[in-house]
Amino acid sequence: MLRSLIKPASLLRNIGSQRAFLATSTRQIRGAQASLIEADDESAQPTSNKIYTVRPVTFWMDKILEKENKRPLDIPTTQYQQASVKKTMADSYMEEYLPFKSTPALLDEYITTGGKVRIGKILEDLDALAGAISYKHMDTFVNSAPLTVVTASVDRMELLMPNTVEDFKLSGHVAYVGKSSMEVFVKLETIPQYDPSAVESSPFPPRDFMAKPTPNTVLFARITMVAVDSATGKSVRVNPLITNTEEEKKLAEYAQDCKSRKRLAGESALSKAAPTADERLTLHDIYMKYADKKDVAPENAVWIEDMSLQSVFLMQPQDRNIHNKVFGGYLMRRAYELAHATGSVFAKTNVSLLSLDEIIFKKPVPVGSLLNLHSQVIYSQDTSFQVSVSAEVTDVEAGTTELTNTFHFSLSAQDKPVREILPRTYAESMLYIEGKRRRQQGVQAKEQLLSLMSHNGI
C-alpha cells in the first residue's frame, strides 16, 4: 500500500536535488553554492552544482521508502579518493541576510510578543550556518568518502547589543582547525540601508569578511565542529587552515587560546576535582547564614529546587538535519526558550539573554524520540543569573533514557535586582559553584572578545 502512494525513488532523488537549491534560496545567502575552484589536484572536478547546507535536502518519505525496501537508495559506484586541500579563512566564508525591517513576512516568523527578535530562532540559523561553513571547509573537490560534520559544542556566544528589529547579516568562517575539529566563528550584525542588488554586485568574500566584533555586531559565537566518517563513525582529518595576513594569524591565535582555556576549565571541572578553598568557604557561609531556614526560604531569596521548569517534546521529521537526526539548532532554540521562561518566573519580569556560556552535544537526538528538557536557576548576582538546562532523550521502543545535551545560559533582569538563589543539598551546592564560576569566566571571556575590536588585536 505504501509503495503505491510514493513516487519512484529516482524521481524523489531528483526532487531532493531541486530542494537542495530551494533550501538556500528562501533568503539571500552567499557562499552556499560551490564555486569553480581550481584545485591543486588535476583530477579534481568543478562542483558548481553542490550546495553547502545542513538543512534537509531530501524528503522524509524518501527515508521511509529506504526502510520499506530494506536497502539504501544511493549506492556508491565510484572509487573514493583520499585528498587534502589547504584552505584559507576566506575559502569557508558564508553569509546569510535576515532583512527584518524591509521584509515584514520574514519578521513575522521571528517576532516575539514584546516586539523583539526571537533569539532562539537566531540560534537555529547560527548553528545551520556553522555546519554549512564546516562542510565548505572540508570539501576537497574530489569524490571522497562520505563524512558527517557534527556540532560538538557551542563554546561561547555573546550578545553585544540590545535585541531590536533591524536588517541583519549572519556571517562566519573557520578560524582554527585541529586534527578532526574546526573552530567556527559566526557573528550577527546590523546592516544600515540593506539593498539586495547592491549585495549581489559586491565582491565575495568582502574585504572585511573576518568574523570578529565590530560596532555593528549584535551577537558573536564560537562553535566547535567535528568531522567523522559516515560509515565507521571514526574521526576524519580536516583540511589544514593557512593564514595569509597578520590579522588572520591573530584571529587564529585567539581561537587557539579559547580552545586552551576551555581545556583547562574542563580539567578543573567539579566532576573531576573538589571545589577550591574559597568556594568551600562560600558554601559554608551560606550554610551558617541560612541553616535555620529549613522549610521557608529567607526574604528575597529562593531555593534552587523551587526554581525549575520542565518540558517534553516528540521529535518530528520537520526538525531533522541532512543526517536524519534532530537539528542541533532546534535543540538550542527549545533549551533557550525554556531557560527564558524559567528566568522570567524567577525574576518576576521579562528577561534578556546576556550570553550562552556553553552547550555540549554528547549524543545525537533521533527523530521519533522524546526530548525531556529540565531547567534550573543555579546562581544569581545583582541583576543577572545563570540557568542550566539538561536534555534527556527517551527511546520509546527500547525504553531507554540518556542525557544527550547540557546548556548554560546567562540572563539578565536588566535594571531590576533578582532574588538570591540558594542551595540546600550538596548536589545543588555544586550547581551553585558551577554557576558562580561561569559568571566569572564569562566576564573575562567578554573582555577578551572585545579586545579583538582594537586595531592591535589581542
Side-chain angles (χ1 to χ4, degrees):
M1 181 65 178
L2 183 62
R3 289 191 182 90
S4 66
L5 296 176
I6 301 179
K7 298 179 183 294
S10 59
L11 180 56
L12 282 175
R13 284 195 293 272
N14 290 336
I15 295 175
S17 177
Q18 295 172 10
R19 191 179 176 197
F21 175 76
L22 294 174
T24 62
S25 61
T26 53
R27 303 169 191 165
Q28 190 174 20
I29 301 178
R30 297 207 298 168
Q33 185 82 28
S35 59
L36 297 177
I37 297 178
E38 184 179 353
D40 295 334
D41 189 348
E42 293 181 357
S43 63
Q45 298 297 320
T47 53
S48 59
N49 62 336
K50 184 181 295 183
I51 298 292
Y52 301 113
T53 178
V54 295
R55 300 189 187 276
V57 295
T58 58
F59 294 109
W60 184 251
M61 292 303 292
D62 208 354
K63 180 74 173 175
I64 295 177
L65 181 61
E66 175 184 336
K67 184 176 181 180
E68 177 78 4
N69 292 339
K70 305 296 183 183
R71 62 180 178 82
L73 291 175
D74 295 309
I75 302 175
T77 57
T78 57
Q79 186 69 32
Y80 295 131
Q81 302 178 44
Q82 298 294 328
S84 178
V85 178
K86 293 181 179 180
K87 296 291 188 76
T88 66
M89 293 183 184
D91 288 336
S92 63
Y93 175 80
M94 290 179 62
E95 60 186 30
E96 176 179 358
Y97 290 82
L98 299 170
F100 293 135
K101 290 185 71 175
S102 53
T103 314
L106 180 63
L107 175 62
D108 198 54
E109 298 178 23
Y110 286 75
I111 200 71
T112 68
T113 56
K116 296 183 178 181
V117 175
R118 289 175 63 186
I119 295 296
K121 291 279 288 182
I122 296 295
L123 292 179
E124 285 190 281
D125 296 332
L126 180 149
D127 185 60
L129 186 65
I133 287 169
S134 300
Y135 277 110
K136 190 175 182 181
H137 178 82
M138 286 298 297
D139 195 2
T140 58
F141 314 109
V142 297
N143 190 26
S144 56
L147 62 87
T148 298
V149 174
V150 297
T151 307
S153 62
V154 179
D155 301 318
R156 186 76 185 170
M157 187 193 78
E158 295 281 0
L159 197 67
L160 302 176
M161 291 176 60
N163 178 5
T164 58
V165 175
E166 301 286 347
D167 288 336
F168 291 124
K169 179 175 77 171
L170 190 63
S171 64
H173 57 81
V174 173
Y176 178 80
V177 301
K179 290 183 178 180
S180 61
S181 65
M182 294 161 278
E183 307 298 312
V184 180
F185 286 5
V186 181
K187 66 177 179 178
L188 179 76
E189 56 190 339
T190 59
I191 316 169
Q193 300 176 338
Y194 170 68
D195 182 355
S197 59
V199 168
E200 286 299 330
S201 61
S202 65
F204 184 87
R207 287 188 304 171
D208 58 346
F209 77 90
M210 291 187 62
K212 64 178 188 177
T214 69
N216 290 334
T217 302
V218 178
L219 180 152
F220 186 92
R222 297 185 281 108
I223 305 173
T224 299
M225 311 295 294
V226 176
V228 297
D229 187 289
S230 300
T232 65
K234 295 181 179 180
S235 60
V236 175
R237 184 174 291 274
V238 303
N239 286 323
L241 180 69
I242 58 176
T243 52
N244 294 323
T245 66
E246 285 300 317
E247 190 177 22
E248 290 182 0
K249 290 177 181 178
K250 289 179 180 179
L251 192 66
E253 289 172 0
Y254 170 75
Q256 188 175 15
D257 289 343
C258 290
K259 188 174 182 178
S260 299
R261 288 193 295 268
K262 176 185 174 182
R263 183 177 63 254
L264 291 174
E267 292 173 353
S268 61
L270 293 169
S271 60
K272 298 180 180 179
T276 65
D278 288 343
E279 290 170 341
R280 292 195 293 270
L281 182 60
T282 297
L283 294 176
H284 185 70
D285 289 343
I286 293 175
Y287 170 77
M288 293 300 294
K289 187 176 181 180
Y290 301 113
D292 60 332
K293 307 292 184 180
K294 296 182 179 180
D295 299 319
V296 181
E299 185 179 358
N300 203 33
V302 61
W303 304 116
I304 285 181
E305 65 183 20
D306 295 330
M307 275 298 107
S308 65
L309 288 179
Q310 187 171 326
S311 59
V312 179
F313 303 94
L314 175 62
M315 298 295 92
Q316 301 287 4
Q318 292 77 17
D319 302 312
R320 75 192 188 281
N321 59 20
I322 57 175
H323 309 297
N324 293 312
K325 301 296 183 180
V326 175
F327 182 43
Y330 171 83
L331 301 176
M332 291 166 61
R333 174 168 67 85
R334 286 297 189 187
Y336 167 70
E337 290 178 350
L338 181 62
H340 187 277
T342 307
S344 298
V345 173
F346 169 66
K348 297 183 178 181
T349 186
N350 191 30
V351 297
S352 58
L353 178 69
L354 292 177
S355 64
L356 188 160
D357 296 311
E358 186 179 31
I359 295 178
I360 301 173
F361 294 89
K362 298 179 180 179
K363 292 185 178 181
V365 177
V367 172
S369 60
L370 292 177
L371 175 69
N372 188 322
L373 295 176
H374 180 266
S375 67
Q376 281 186 299
V377 181
I378 61 174
Y379 180 77
S380 63
Q381 182 179 344
D382 301 328
T383 62
S384 65
F385 54 97
Q386 309 287 317
V387 180
S388 174
V389 181
S390 61
E392 292 185 335
V393 172
T394 298
D395 185 319
V396 178
E397 295 182 358
T400 58
T401 299
E402 292 183 295
L403 178 68
T404 59
N405 309 84
T406 305
F407 308 80
H408 299 280
F409 300 97
S410 293
L411 301 169
S412 172
Q414 297 177 347
D415 298 328
K416 179 182 178 181
V418 296
R419 293 175 287 175
E420 186 176 5
I421 193 81
L422 301 173
R424 299 183 73 170
T425 67
Y426 186 80
E428 289 176 351
S429 296
M430 295 302 98
L431 290 175
Y432 180 90
I433 292 299
E434 182 176 21
K436 182 177 174 65
R437 285 184 180 183
R438 290 186 181 279
R439 175 182 170 84
Q440 294 170 344
Q441 294 167 356
V443 171
Q444 296 173 357
K446 187 171 184 177
E447 291 175 352
Q448 292 162 347
L449 173 64
L450 292 179
S451 69
L452 288 174
M453 295 178 65
S454 67
H455 294 293
N456 295 326
I458 301 170

